Amino acid sequence: MPRASKTPLILVGHSMGGLVAKRAFTLAKQNEEYRLLANRVHSIVFLATPHRGSNLAQLFSKILNLSPGARPFVADLHRSSSVTEAINDEFPHYCQDLRLYSFYETMPMFYGLGRNIIVEKDLAVLGYHNERSAYLNSNHSNVCKYDSRNDPNYQVVRNALASIIEGLKPNAASEKVEVSNDDQHLLSTALGVTDSLENHFMDVDALRTGGSCQWLTKRANYLEWCDGAKPHIYWIYAKPATGKTVLSGMIINHLRELQMDLAFYFFDYRDKRKTTIGDFLLSMAWQMAGLHEEILRTVLEVCRGDEQLHKSDYRSIWRKLFLEGVLRVKLNKLQYWVIDALDECKNGLELVPLLLKVTATGSIRILLTSRNRFEHQQQATSPVVKVVCQDIPVEATKHDIALYLEQNLDQLPAAQEEDRRMIVDEILRRSADCFLWVSLIIEELRQVHTSAETRQVLENIPSDMNELYQRILDKMSMAPYGKKLAQAIITWTVCSVRPLTTDELHHALELDLQDRIDSIEKSIASSCGQLVYVDTHSKVQMIHKTARDFLLQGKSSSEFSVDGKEGHKRLALTCLRYLNSNEMKSPRQRGRSARSPIPRPKPKQGSVVNYSSHSFFDHMFHVHSTDDDVFFALAKFLGSSNVLSWIEHMAQQSSLQRLMLAGKAFRNFLQRRSHHLSPFGREVALLDSWATDLVRLVTKFGKYLLEYPSSIFHHIPPFCPSETALRRQLTPTARGIVVLGLSERAWDDCMSTIVNQNERCSALACSRKNFAVGMSSGRIFIYDGEMCQEQEVIQHQEQVRILQFGERCGLLASAGFEIIRLWNVNSWTEVWSADIAKQCLSVAFYEECQLFFAALRNNNLMIWDLETGAERDSIDWTLALGESNSHAYRRPICAAFSEEAGLLAVVYRGQDIVVWDIERDAIHGTYCKETGAYPQQARRSNQTGASSVLFGVEANPNLLAVSYADGDLVLFDLSLGTRQASTLANSHSLACSHDGRTLACADSSGTIQLFEFDTLRLLYRIHSGEHGCQGLAFSGDNNRLLDISGSQCRVWDPTVLLRQDDEEDNSDTMSISTGLQEVSVESSDDDVVLVTSIACHPNEDIVFCGKEDGSVCLYDTKSGQQSQKLYSHAMGVSVLSISLNGESNIITSLDSSSRLLTQKLTREQQQDWIISETLFDHRTETAVDQVLMNSESTRLLVCTAERDTLWSISSTEGPRIIAELSWKDRGAYRWGSHPIQHDHLILISNNIAHLYDWKTLSRVTGPQGILLESDMLSDLAVRSIVPCFANKVIAIAFGKSLRHNAETQLLLWDPSDFTPGSKSATPVPQYRPLSEHVKDAVGEYRSQLVFLHSSGWVCTATPQSSVKGTFARHFFLPTDWLSTNVDLLFGVNERGDFVFVRRHEVAVVKNGLETAEPVLCGRSSRRRESEPHWASKMSEGSRRTSSSATLVVPDEQDVDNPSWKCEW
């Protein structure tokens, strides 16, 4: 082949030939001369290749020695030999873009002295994401030798090669989009799609007989659809088992031959996920992204905004991926979609309108198959789209059946050709056009050998499928052996929530039957092979959906019929038996220590662990609620430590969403059970507690569980409320973490409360990443949507009445009485503004047309160009009412837009609702409370007035919710003009979730209620105790609700919002609706006094706390409780800061009135602390920025923006001023004590440091000062100066601003660089990697720097570890602890107690610093084959955090290395 050729290469290697192919490819990649050749390699097919050597290496050598020639390489075939490991270490770096196929043997090989499988499955499969594996029913030698074209092994390998070649064909016409590894990882993570589609297609295509299904390619209507001249849907329908899926496979092949851009999807009842609309949409977007560069960019942008998109409901996926993404891209080539088995989609009728909208774009052609014919009433959403229905003609089916029979002619039991033809004719005559019936008859005929037996089969087998199934069951009942096993196989195959692999089923049946099984494949073939089969991927399947339906529907009295409830009970109990077994027990010593920080991996668990862990609770939906066997088995599991091992396993599998679904399953089971049995008892309480705990566990600790699954044993439980099951089941250990001081006994639905003193909230809006709170002062506070931390403050310059995010255009609109402003959400700068004549009532982004709309109180609709702000139009909508009615509509009180429906609803005092069609510039309808729409000329008056109005979104764009003054909440369907539902809510504020499923409303008394939008079924109620709710909004992921009232914004995360598309709703046991959840919340700020400042005593078990009422109190770190009130400032002023000299016991406190108190403390014989002397009591004229005391407690520096005053506070002389420094516009500054030269102070301002004398406050450095040189200081302001590492280092924190929780950068400096003669100073370079990890410095413990990592972990570092590029992490803080808009208050004492303020309480974390886990600063590591699975998950999770630095835990081998022995 010419060297310059670009022809793709496919390498096929058998046994060691596969290793040769891997090594040759790797060497070619590494060698510049052969790299072009290596780049042409497209795929590698491995046939029984010992990737990791073989347990039978010596035997393998003997076999090879039977033929001549020396083979020294055989010595390298031992399991995990250095040669195979070297190949496996290098190959993954270069094979990411290859398609890999690994086939493994399943039959033993005879070698004279015995028989064995030469290369086991685990040695023959690589386990890479781009690998497809399948078994061959052959021994090691014959995996590459085939008897004929009909050999099943040949067909499997042939289909793999054919698929590779077919995949290359489209590339000849258009290059497939290249996707980088990072982008591919992002797509896989966000979309949750695997490359199993091609496997499914290969399986389907393997079923097709050559020449069959060709009738369709001759149909004029199909060719018209292929031609794509007019957009329409091609809908193929036929009865069950007539070959629709095989026909879909042929269509895919045909379109590929035509070199069309193609995406396809097979709905499959056997896989729960493949029955959902969400998975279908994700798959189609993923396939299209691989074909079109612009779509790839669009999909990646959506994925970056929501990396957990695959966990959303299908409505959110449809909106984000398609409405706002894919469908907006203009394709230069037609895209074809082939969708099979729409009838197996769980919500198929809801998918049809979406497909019609896709087709209406004009660039996508859709073909689908279904049992059901298209009903034209489904076309209301897109009447312009044509749907062509095509049934499968009888003659076409007969022709294809004849081809199938022709192919299997040699398998028919007849010696003469004439006899075979007679059998074929008879089968055709009786087939009733059913392929499945024919295949079962062929299978039956393979078991007979005489003409008489053949006639008997043909005469006795019924044509009706149900009768045929009954005959098969009757025949199975006559078997002398294996009936119990056959019954178990059928039950498991019918009732399992997904197809089980043969290994899984083997293990499950042994658990179920309490017996050993020789070969599950043989058992299936011999006992129930006509109903159950093993596919090419070793998955056990029912022969057809009709067979499953027949077995479940109770149409047969056979012993093999399956009772659904009993079957699911059987599977649930078996799964629970496994989960309660020793294999799932947690190790006794699961804690970590500084010596051995990495927990050892548990012994290998059985192959059924994944199914049992992921699916046992799915079966509970179908079990009768009064069943005590399941109830007590579940209670036993939840009451044992095994439940923690289960949670760990789920976290290792990144299956946290399944944990939440398990909690919901427990809740559903208890609710159904309570209708029949007493809802009391220990087991009921246990299930009820875990039902809540599992959901809260994910919402509160999900990020940490993914990073570190083993944290469920000792890290997470101490931070849970005291009455939760997670906390109660924690086994206390001497060195285990203990959290004291918190009164919370149960989970709190209020995740965070954000208070802005001296402000009044007036508007609220949420986007995917942020939420914005507008104030009456005109300020708009921007917060991070996840952590609730303040990010930016912008100024609207008048009271903010409305806030609205434009997700797709990246804008935020703010509106008031006189002006509208648009802001860029990336830079938070103003894009444009416009004056308005009257107050704005509502705004909307019509981004499709690049327009911005505003409804004003003067009845005008203002329209601006979204990009430039130029006014496009101004429309008075009352003109459409006619002159006779316009006087009644003078002053609207509120309005709402529906962008999707193009409507505007307006509310007038004392009038009915007017809905205006924006596109037609006409009245859409007038709606009265009692009946709905009525003719405008029949206008009524004196009816109950509306107070607020809101449109639905997503799936409910034609629904309109209206709250009335008499308390009624009414839902109208605008498409029908009818009143759909109503309830009593007394609401004045309304909000709709972004997915359109949930409606929130609030009344004047502070009650917040959540309803299902389309039914107004009440889901949740909060009695908040806060009067006057000013606004509601849902977070971007729909899982949280925000409300504003007074000066505070609260963030709620009620579990009822965590609804899923894949929640069970098709069970006959699901008729019980979810009960109403009610929460009562104490009025937050009236009943508690917030802690506003703290100082830890270094030598005593006490913490000094300043409070917002002016008091200074002592808290005992042994209990976390307040022990005494020490003294108080004036009533009603907050204590802003406290500083303490632990040696002299002198405390200084500063309050919000700028009053300073310095007191001498004494304590006698373990009694209460008392104030023995007041050393200083002074109030400044301006706000105090900082207070600093010298080490001898004789000098006090008081700093304001304009003046620094040095006071002497000697008890003998009394307070007096020693010196003053005056400043003008000096900007951000901070003072600090020099850690070595104790008679000097350090002042830093504008990145210049000066030294001052503590005695005289005279400057001792030159006029130019000491220049702080670092490329990290650009645009940063100094925030604090503190010594660390036993005064050997100066830690200086810088921030982008001085506002609360601004992003900080901690730099470490050598104190010797700060001398009177110094000209410049640079950070110590060895500490720079550590600096990137420090979010906030906490303090010192045993000469270690204690700091908070941006990922939420509390960490420590020593000079020695920092130089080596490492630090230690100890424990993490719950997400809701960090979700605040104020500076975090924490500290640490010499005993290692970590103290953290939570509003009015002080949490004390004991023993948290006693265990340590070494972490590398910023190094990434590739997980090796031997690395524990949890470590990989943790590393991946760490990379997902918001920190720019990466936490990397070393491998066990590294921990034992002396270089890792850090002196913690």
Side-chain angles (χ1 to χ4, degrees), residues 14 75 81 124 183 343 347 361 392 397 432 537 560 802 955 1006 1189 1196:
H14 170 234
S81 72
D183 287 345
D343 51 280
N347 299 307
T361 63
I392 298 181
T397 304
H537 307 292
F560 299 103
I802 295 172
M1189 184 181 291
L1196 190 70

Side-chain angles (χ1 to χ4, degrees), residues 118-134:
I118 305 300
V119 181
E120 298 283 354
K121 175 184 175 181
D122 65 317
L123 304 175
V125 176
L126 290 164
Y128 298 165
H129 72 88
N130 55 332
E131 176 195 33
R132 299 165 190 166
S133 61

Side-chain angles (χ1 to χ4, degrees), residues 374 384 511 637 1143 1231 1329:
F374 174 74
V384 297
L511 272 174
F637 168 60
E1143 298 298 325
W1231 289 87

Side-chain angles (χ1 to χ4, degrees), residues 322-384:
F322 285 89
L323 286 181
E324 300 176 2
V326 172
L327 299 185
R328 292 176 177 269
V329 177
K330 302 300 182 184
L331 300 176
N332 54 16
K333 185 180 180 182
L334 285 177
Q335 173 78 41
Y336 289 81
W337 287 9
V338 176
I339 306 166
D340 180 61
L342 180 65
D343 51 280
E344 294 185 24
C345 175
K346 188 167 68 173
N347 299 307
L349 292 179
E350 297 178 24
L351 176 58
V352 173
L354 307 186
L355 298 179
L356 291 169
K357 289 182 179 179
V358 169
T359 307
T361 63
S363 56
I364 299 177
R365 301 293 181 265
I366 297 177
L367 180 147
L368 60 85
T369 68
S370 175
R371 292 186 184 183
N372 310 310
R373 183 186 175 94
F374 174 74
E375 300 295 338
H376 287 278
Q377 56 265 32
Q378 298 173 331
Q379 206 167 350
T381 56
S382 298
V384 297

Side-chain angles (χ1 to χ4, degrees), residues 56 59-60 62-63 66 108-118:
L56 300 175
L59 167 64
F60 201 41
K62 293 177 182 178
I63 295 172
L66 295 177
M109 182 172 176
F110 293 89
Y111 49 87
L113 299 178
R115 62 175 187 170
N116 265 304
I117 291 180
I118 305 300

